[in-house]
Amino acid sequence: MAMTDVLSAEDIKKAVGAFSAAESFNYKKFFEMVGLKKKSPEDVKKVFHILDKDRSGFIEEDELKFVLKGFTPDGRDLSDKETKAFLAAGDKDGDGKIGAD
């Protein structure tokens, strides 16, 4: 499954482009711009599974660093600071990874 099976290619391009500058990534704004906020829980899980490259059922820090590339190959890598902030926001139980729920 491709990301464009769930999200609009145009929305992905706009969202990734909006955060192309280093240290500019804001996950809340990104998810809103890419259209995830309007999607069903089922569609959000589809996107999660696309981003879960190792199919572990979790998105770990090393996968988060490349999250923008998960939406489009043109995306940049997140900085260590951006990655750690994103992980802290999504890691509800402190185990160092983000689950689908």
Side-chain angles (χ1 to χ4, degrees):
M1 174 175 292
M3 198 62 76
T4 53
D5 291 338
V6 183
L7 301 170
S8 148
E10 184 177 323
D11 287 346
I12 292 170
K13 184 176 180 178
K14 285 179 187 174
V16 170
F19 299 102
S20 62
E23 303 300 335
S24 67
F25 185 71
N26 177 306
Y27 68 92
K28 288 181 182 179
K29 288 181 184 176
F30 178 79
F31 290 149
E32 185 176 329
M33 289 180 74
V34 84
L36 270 176
K37 295 239 182 209
K38 297 177 185 173
K39 294 294 180 180
S40 71
E42 290 171 358
D43 283 342
V44 172
K45 283 188 179 185
K46 287 177 187 174
V47 169
F48 178 91
H49 291 298
I50 293 168
L51 296 173
D52 179 18
K53 298 296 185 192
D54 65 2
R55 304 272 186 248
S56 66
F58 298 95
I59 298 177
E60 295 88 2
E61 187 171 347
D62 60 331
E63 290 171 317
L64 270 185
K65 184 169 190 72
F66 307 110
V67 73
L68 295 180
K69 287 183 178 171
F71 285 87
T72 178
D74 299 340
R76 69 173 176 89
D77 296 346
L78 297 183
S79 70
D80 289 342
K81 181 179 174 183
E82 290 170 315
T83 303
K84 287 184 188 314
F86 192 6
L87 181 62
D91 180 14
K92 300 301 181 197
D93 60 7
D95 65 356
K97 51 192 175 184
I98 300 171
D101 296 325

